[in-house]
Amino acid sequence: MPKLQSLALYIHWPFCLSKCPYCDFNSHVRASIDEKVWAEALIKELNSAALRVGPRRLTSIFFGGGTPSLMHPQTVSALISRALYHWPSPENLEVTLEANPNSVDVNHLRDFKLAGINRISIGIQALNDADLKALGRQHSLQEALKAITTAIHTFKRVSFDLIYARPNQSLKDWQKELETALSFGTEHLSLYQLTIEPGTAFAPLYERGDLILPPEDLAADLFEITQDLTTAAGLPAYEISNHARFGAESRHNLSYWEYKDYLGIGPGAHSRLSLSIGKVATKQYRAPEIWLKKVIEKGSGEEECLHLSLEDQAMEALMMGLRLTSGIKLSTFSKRACRLINPHALKVLCDEGYLTISKDTLKGTPRGIQCLNAVLKKLLSFAFL
Ligand SMILES: C[S@@+](CC[C@H](N)C(=O)[O-])C[C@H]1O[C@@H](n2cnc3c(N)ncnc32)[C@H](O)[C@@H]1O
Ligand code: SF4
């Protein structure tokens, strides 16, 4: 029997208890949510997608948000069961839930485990009360620490997120904080440099000069110390912001970066699917209420479905693959797609220490990965002519 093509499933829960001032994810605060209606709609969209996608080998499920730990464990369980009904999966299927410290308690985590979750990713963001407050977080340091320890007691696979390069954060402050983070011994950490996103509450503060980010050289030092400390602790970067013990990488996120097929369910979710008509990029309606209305009416909240040319695919694969420290195999590109790469820029980027090519593998150096957007802009300058 031919091996079925893999599929990673993403399920988006778009609600949070409050909106963090730095966050431009598709997350919304609502006074009340009819969870039964939402659970039915997500299952309905999953059923429609399963018909379109056909038989697959399910490799991971990821509940992201928003704050999916606000979902009822029964909703999570129903969605996992429906996914497994549609697609066979290996015994070690990775099923991740993003959780916030304030919605995490011992009983809830156990219930999520019983519902089928086997990996938890907690949004900690900072390990001191003053910075948690400045980031608009609704939880204290004590709650954050309790969430981490409870998660470690409940799950084998635990990751947590921190945001660094925060206003007024010194190299020493971050070193201490990261050492504390690493001392928990989790198999995975996501460490993001604070970015100011348009439309967030931080954006006007930043523009007015009321919120000041670390200067470029300090940001570079913060990135470097992050690489050094995580590597020394056995959790080297495998992607720009993601660090793991060998073999403990997020299989779900690897599917994006390795440009494998993924299906997104829920408001604002994206998909990349290889169908009989070729590879398509789909996008669901972003506004929760519009998405819900479309699903109730038509069975799907899809807003857009674009056919991707071979060039589009190659470009996307390169942009995603160069995020990985392992880089990308050039032989996976068609000749036509290789023409997207500007050979002069490639040589300069290699000579200047931003990229390396050995045999068939093109990869970013730590310096290149740190400023990947600028590297890609140069490298793909032919594509943008
Ligand atoms: C979908 S969010 C949410 C997880 C969860 N809702 C929470 O906040 O705990 C995923 C992660 O992206 C990171 N993030 C979001 N906006 C960011 C920004 N502007 N700069 C840096 N990291 C950001 C945060 O670390 C966050 O935990
Ligand atoms: S960071 Fe998390 S909790 Fe805060 S608004 Fe974004 S998704 Fe919601």
Side-chain angles (χ1 to χ4, degrees):
M1 211 173 111
K3 203 176 168 201
L4 290 172
Q5 190 169 3
S6 68
L7 183 72
L9 172 63
Y10 175 82
I11 300 174
H12 191 77
W13 186 256
F15 303 115
C16 292
L17 293 178
S18 62
K19 183 78 185 175
C20 303
Y22 53 84
C23 176
D24 80 336
F25 281 81
N26 190 25
S27 58
H28 307 264
V29 179
R30 296 287 182 267
S32 70
I33 298 146
D34 189 339
E35 184 153 346
K36 192 167 169 279
V37 172
W38 272 87
E40 279 167 12
L42 285 167
I43 286 183
K44 200 167 175 188
E45 184 161 76
L46 185 55
N47 291 341
S48 309
L51 273 179
R52 179 200 228 177
V53 169
R56 293 292 180 120
R57 186 172 39 91
L58 190 64
T59 50
S60 60
I61 306 177
F62 192 102
F63 290 88
T67 307
S69 53
L70 293 173
M71 290 167 97
H72 199 286
Q74 257 174 10
T75 306
V76 170
S77 164
L79 282 159
I80 296 172
S81 306
R82 189 55 64 105
L84 296 178
Y85 165 80
H86 289 305
W87 300 290
S89 68
E91 259 183 20
N92 61 349
L93 176 75
E94 178 186 277
V95 191
T96 305
L97 179 91
E98 276 183 350
N100 278 41
N102 43 341
S103 60
V104 169
D105 62 44
V106 187
N107 297 332
H108 254 104
L109 283 185
R110 283 224 185 96
D111 291 341
F112 283 127
K113 190 177 180 181
L114 289 173
I117 298 296
N118 56 27
R119 182 175 179 276
I120 204 100
S121 169
I122 318 169
I124 297 293
Q125 320 310 0
L127 287 172
N128 71 72
D129 278 318
D131 283 8
L132 285 172
K133 197 163 175 229
L135 289 171
R137 300 293 289 180
Q138 301 295 310
H139 59 86
S140 63
L141 172 64
Q142 209 189 351
E143 285 171 299
L145 299 178
K146 183 170 179 242
I148 300 172
T149 48
T150 308
I152 290 171
H153 278 120
T154 315
F155 292 96
K156 272 202 197 114
R157 302 193 64 192
V158 176
S159 176
F160 61 91
D161 300 350
L162 290 176
I163 297 178
Y164 69 101
R166 307 191 295 258
N168 302 318
Q169 191 177 35
S170 72
L171 197 58
K172 244 200 149 105
D173 291 340
W174 175 233
Q175 176 175 352
K176 238 176 103 195
E177 188 169 341
L178 184 52
E179 279 167 358
T180 307
L182 287 163
S183 72
F184 286 100
T186 58
E187 60 167 27
H188 192 285
L189 281 178
S190 299
L191 306 169
Y192 301 103
Q193 288 210 23
L194 178 62
T195 54
I196 303 299
E197 305 295 341
T200 59
F202 269 179
L205 295 180
Y206 178 70
E207 272 149 35
R208 280 205 305 269
D210 290 339
L211 187 154
I212 299 168
L213 293 186
E216 225 173 83
D217 52 346
L218 176 55
D221 290 347
L222 288 164
F223 181 82
E224 207 170 298
I225 201 175
T226 305
Q227 311 314 306
D228 293 349
L229 289 177
T230 52
T231 303
L235 261 76
Y238 65 100
E239 190 264 352
I240 305 173
S241 310
N242 284 281
H243 302 254
R245 282 211 195 104
F246 183 71
E249 298 84 2
S250 158
R251 235 174 287 151
H252 183 82
N253 288 344
L254 275 179
S255 298
Y256 300 147
W257 299 318
E258 290 174 349
Y259 206 52
K260 293 182 174 155
D261 272 22
Y262 57 90
L263 168 67
I265 296 291
H270 291 240
S271 306
R272 290 291 180 279
L273 297 168
S274 309
L275 304 176
S276 54
I277 53 164
K279 189 140 179 162
V280 297
T282 72
K283 190 172 90 185
Q284 310 308 100
Y285 281 99
R286 201 172 149 85
E289 288 72 21
I290 296 179
W291 175 87
L292 186 63
K293 188 168 174 280
K294 297 283 176 191
V295 176
I296 291 170
E297 285 167 6
K298 304 194 302 186
S300 162
E302 185 170 290
E303 183 184 16
E304 191 178 276
C305 178
L306 295 175
H307 189 264
L308 295 171
S309 68
L310 280 180
E311 280 85 354
D312 294 335
Q313 292 178 44
M315 177 117 87
E316 286 194 339
L318 192 69
M319 290 167 87
M320 296 310 269
L322 280 181
R323 298 176 66 104
L324 291 170
T325 52
S326 54
I328 184 161
K329 291 237 174 295
L330 287 170
S331 54
T332 54
F333 286 100
S334 68
K335 272 211 179 98
R336 200 148 48 120
C338 273
R339 275 186 236 138
L340 296 171
I341 294 178
N342 178 335
H344 173 67
L346 177 61
K347 184 173 180 321
V348 172
L349 287 164
C350 288
D351 290 348
E352 291 180 355
Y354 292 98
L355 292 173
T356 60
I357 295 191
S358 75
K359 291 186 191 148
D360 186 30
T361 302
L362 174 66
K363 62 180 174 188
T365 60
R367 194 168 156 219
I369 287 182
Q370 198 199 349
C371 53
L372 187 60
N373 286 345
V375 167
L376 284 168
K377 212 166 162 196
K378 262 196 173 171
L379 185 68
L380 295 170
S381 49
F382 279 8
F384 298 118
L385 286 178

